[in-house]
Amino acid sequence: MCPFEDFPTSPVLFDSATSAMARLSFTLLVAALASFGLATASDPDLLTDFIAPANVTGQVPGSFFKYSKMRPLTDDNVAFPKEFTATKASLAEFPALNGQSVSLAVLQYPAGTVNPPHTHPRSAELLFVTSGTLFVGFIDTTNKLYTETLQAGDMFIFPKGLVHFQYNTNQSGVAVAVSAFGSSNAGTISIPKTVFTAGIDETVLAKSFKASVDDIKKLEYGLKPKA
Ligand SMILES: *[C@@H]1O[C@H](CO)[C@@H](O)[C@H](O)[C@H]1NC(C)=O
Ligand SMILES: *[C@@H]1O[C@H](CO)[C@@H](O)[C@H](O)[C@H]1NC(C)=O
């Protein structure tokens, strides 16, 4: 039985008021959530206050510690994305996080979209819903599923390394969440992408999933980036 039968299946609409609201609270929440990540620190301890960039001699400028590329997410003139979008501030995007055991992602879910099952090998994830509703879940190492429906203001912790997902069940409204990680480089392994697009031999996959090679090919085809 599908838990989402009650949700209307009207076409995707982007109400501008909704989008504006979705962006409104980012600044505050990003600031608040940055500190939560510190509680789940897991990067190796530094023997220095921070890791200065190799090309800087003398004092590191204050600007090294600032990251502004999330500004468009707070701008009402920037359209809400058409597909699920994770905008990260992790080691790759923000070098000052190196060794600081913390990173953030802002997650935008258009109506009816899913963040497919995935894991973060190096960190737990503390997700805070800032607008809309999300159906979320994770699976533990004994294959038990834990699910909840979250509304704006709710938090959910995905334990380190476990497979998890989020689904915006609302077919007409967007959802936004901010996630804190206890690593500057939590890493993401997408289950569909890893299993079906990395080039594992189709016979291995067919035997593993007790399916035909044709079925495997169909799944692989569906996951190919669209031109
Ligand atoms: C150091 O390198 C980074 C990344 O390549 C660059 O953004 C930055 O401007 C450089 N800083 C200096 C002082 O050259
Ligand atoms: C879905 O989103 C629309 C638009 O934001 C909102 O009016 C409606 O209450 C939401 N439905 C549910 C079930 O949350």
Side-chain angles (χ1 to χ4, degrees):
M1 145 126 191
C2 171
F4 313 119
E5 279 168 357
D6 296 337
F7 291 91
T9 51
S10 55
V12 176
L13 295 171
F14 293 110
D15 172 293
S16 66
T18 307
S19 302
M21 268 189 48
R23 289 188 195 95
L24 206 67
S25 38
F26 277 149
T27 320
L28 275 176
L29 288 161
V30 167
L33 286 169
S35 57
F36 296 148
L38 297 172
T40 54
S42 69
D43 292 353
D45 270 348
L46 290 184
L47 299 178
T48 53
D49 295 343
F50 51 85
I51 299 176
N55 61 350
V56 172
T57 51
Q59 188 175 339
V60 173
S63 58
F64 173 64
F65 301 97
K66 173 173 153 181
Y67 185 70
S68 298
K69 292 196 179 142
M70 294 236 182
R71 280 189 190 178
L73 300 178
T74 66
D75 183 347
D76 287 345
N77 297 315
V78 177
F80 202 85
K82 297 266 183 285
E83 290 176 1
F84 165 73
T85 302
T87 307
K88 293 183 210 165
S90 68
L91 182 58
E93 298 82 19
F94 187 9
L97 297 185
N98 197 5
Q100 303 298 337
S101 302
V102 64
S103 60
L104 269 182
V106 175
L107 310 169
Q108 294 170 291
Y109 311 78
T113 57
V114 70
N115 180 5
H118 63 281
T119 79
H120 304 292
R122 290 179 287 278
S123 176
E125 173 175 358
L126 181 58
L127 176 139
F128 188 111
V129 181
T130 63
S131 75
T133 55
L134 288 176
F135 177 76
V136 304
F138 71 87
I139 301 102
D140 72 12
T141 56
T142 65
N143 213 34
K144 286 195 195 75
L145 174 67
Y146 302 80
T147 63
E148 273 297 313
T149 297
L150 311 178
Q151 64 176 59
D154 290 347
M155 270 188 220
F156 196 84
I157 179 79
F158 300 103
K160 181 175 177 174
L162 300 185
V163 174
H164 61 280
F165 62 86
Q166 300 106 31
Y167 176 30
N168 176 10
T169 50
N170 191 331
Q171 303 300 319
S172 61
V174 306
V176 178
V178 179
S179 277
F181 299 90
S183 168
S184 60
N185 189 15
T188 298
I189 299 171
S190 162
I191 304 300
K193 208 173 142 203
T194 299
V195 174
F196 294 108
T197 73
I200 301 178
D201 188 285
E202 282 155 355
T203 307
V204 172
L205 292 178
K207 285 179 186 291
S208 303
F209 286 86
K210 304 192 189 313
S212 68
V213 167
D214 270 358
D215 289 338
I216 299 298
K217 282 186 197 292
K218 272 181 209 156
L219 288 168
E220 288 173 343
Y221 181 79
L223 290 163
K224 279 222 169 73
K226 301 290 175 283

